Amino acid sequence: EEENRPDDAAALGVRLQNLRPPVARLVLLIDQLEELFTEGISAEKRDAFLEMLAALSRRNPVVVIVTMRSDFFPRLAEFLHF
């Protein structure tokens, strides 16, 4: 039984290439999202920002990751898209 390593390597390369996503992904990381719910941010601006994040998260090449304090979770839950 003869091994054909160059052909095996080429076939593996093709298979790995097919596993890659067709487009680059964008990861948007937002820290301290609870700041949206503190004084100084109008409800209109907050809702517009959250709507934009929800729309971005529905797009294929974009992943949105946010951090926030757990005591603000109920405030975020009021926003229908999350």
Side-chain angles (χ1 to χ4, degrees):
E1 183 175 333
E2 187 176 313
E3 291 185 32
N4 193 347
R5 294 197 188 277
D7 287 344
D8 291 344
L12 180 59
V14 169
R15 290 181 69 187
L16 289 174
Q17 193 70 7
N18 290 336
L19 292 176
R20 285 191 196 162
V23 294
R25 295 185 83 63
L26 170 68
V27 176
L28 177 61
L29 175 63
I30 300 172
D31 191 22
Q32 299 180 345
L33 188 69
E34 70 271 6
E35 294 295 324
L36 282 178
F37 301 101
T38 60
E39 291 183 33
I41 305 285
S42 71
E44 185 176 280
K45 285 184 179 180
R46 179 195 63 230
D47 292 348
F49 184 78
L50 290 173
E51 182 64 43
M52 184 245 354
L53 285 182
L56 276 175
S57 69
R58 288 188 293 267
R59 298 187 58 90
N60 186 30
V62 179
V63 175
V64 179
I65 301 171
V66 299
T67 66
M68 68 183 302
R69 290 183 6 210
S70 61
D71 53 324
F72 282 88
F73 286 173
R75 299 284 306 273
L76 183 61
E78 294 171 9
F79 189 73
L80 298 177
H81 297 285
F82 284 89

